Amino acid sequence: MRSGQPLKRVKSLLGEFVVIVAGVLTALAVDHWKDVLDDRQLEAAYVDRLRADLQADTARLGNYQRGVIAQKAGVLTDMLSDDVLARLSERPDLMAALSVSTWKGLPESRSVTFDEIQSTGALNLLRDAELRGLLSGYYSGFDQIARVWAEPDGDYQVRLGRALPGDQVYEWAMSQREPDREKLIAGLRELFAEPGLVGAVNSELEYTAMMGASARRLHGNATDLLLLLEGS
């Protein structure tokens, strides 16, 4: 009877050990499952936010191409025509058109979510390696291109600024009230008499075309990313 007690004790201890180990392993498995679940929920939330940011970018870039770039190119093209004063005089919103012709730079990207992902080290939560690479390339490329086209090379904007009646331009900027048409046309007449103006306008047109091309490329990249996010 006594010889069997140590064996029973060993078996009892082994049983308790197995129960403890099984409990620990179960707890670890549950913790791991919860961590994975939390990661997947956070990934899904980031994907939704990235999708919203990219949708905002595509809308902004599309409006920029159809609006600013098209209008800016139209005004500058008019300035190269033989009947430039007649063409500009026909514009009911002449001051607004001249203002658009001086537009510089690309619209800003909406990168709040990606900046957060990068700063918190959460980029690897996005399991798709291709998506991670394309997102990094898109946002770094956007910033780089925006810096390149932040300022035009020529002096068109300086020339135009000298030709316009400053006080009335300021008033227009504040109230959108059109400046005195006669003073505006008189200033433009002096502008078009300046030597080298054609070269300045052509330089501004080239700058405008480059900005438009960059906007189209970024719009295409954002659209591709949106398609990729649909599968995430």
Side-chain angles (χ1 to χ4, degrees):
M1 292 289 293
R2 291 181 179 178
S3 62
Q5 288 181 352
L7 183 59
K8 288 182 180 180
R9 181 59 178 166
V10 170
K11 288 181 178 180
S12 175
L13 291 174
L14 284 174
E16 292 177 5
F17 177 75
V18 169
V19 170
I20 292 171
V21 170
V24 170
L25 291 176
T26 300
L28 290 174
V30 170
D31 286 343
H32 176 69
W33 175 80
K34 288 177 62 178
D35 289 342
V36 170
L37 181 61
D38 289 344
D39 285 349
R40 296 292 72 82
Q41 289 176 339
L42 188 56
E43 179 190 28
Y46 276 138
V47 166
D48 287 342
R49 289 174 57 189
L50 286 166
R51 184 182 295 111
D53 287 353
L54 289 165
Q55 286 170 343
D57 277 2
T58 55
R60 189 179 296 110
L61 288 165
N63 291 334
Y64 175 78
Q65 294 174 73
R66 292 186 297 270
V68 171
I69 293 298
Q71 293 173 36
K72 180 178 171 75
V75 177
L76 293 170
T77 301
D78 281 351
M79 288 189 172
L80 295 175
S81 63
D82 294 334
D83 56 344
V84 52
L85 283 175
R87 288 196 179 201
L88 293 179
S89 298
E90 291 173 357
R91 289 178 175 268
D93 55 346
L94 179 54
M95 191 59 231
L98 293 173
S99 177
V100 169
S101 77
T102 65
W103 187 283
K104 56 187 179 182
L106 292 169
E108 294 183 356
S109 68
R110 182 170 154 179
S111 60
V112 176
T113 303
F114 187 74
D115 290 343
E116 178 184 322
I117 290 174
Q118 276 197 315
S119 64
T120 59
L123 188 58
N124 284 331
L125 286 176
L126 305 177
R127 289 167 292 172
D128 190 326
E130 180 185 8
L131 176 61
R132 294 198 302 269
L134 289 175
L135 283 168
S136 298
Y138 170 74
Y139 284 109
S140 63
F142 204 122
D143 291 343
Q144 182 179 3
I145 292 172
R147 285 194 298 270
V148 169
W149 300 124
E151 294 286 345
D153 293 330
D155 63 347
Y156 164 78
Q157 298 186 19
V158 174
R159 289 172 179 262
L160 181 63
R162 285 199 308 259
L164 299 178
D167 56 337
Q168 293 190 39
V169 171
Y170 176 79
E171 184 177 345
W172 174 84
M174 295 295 101
S175 65
Q176 301 298 297
R177 191 170 73 180
E178 194 77 6
D180 183 274
R181 180 60 63 109
E182 290 185 6
K183 289 184 178 180
L184 204 52
I185 296 300
L188 291 174
R189 186 174 288 109
E190 292 181 7
L191 172 68
F192 298 132
E194 289 184 8
L197 179 67
V198 171
V201 173
N202 276 321
S203 177
E204 192 75 16
L205 261 175
E206 183 178 351
Y207 168 73
T208 304
M210 293 295 187
M211 287 198 301
S214 296
R216 286 192 298 274
R217 183 164 66 252
L218 290 169
H219 186 276
N221 292 344
T223 301
D224 290 343
L225 276 168
L226 281 172
L227 292 174
L228 191 58
L229 283 171
E230 292 302 324
S232 298

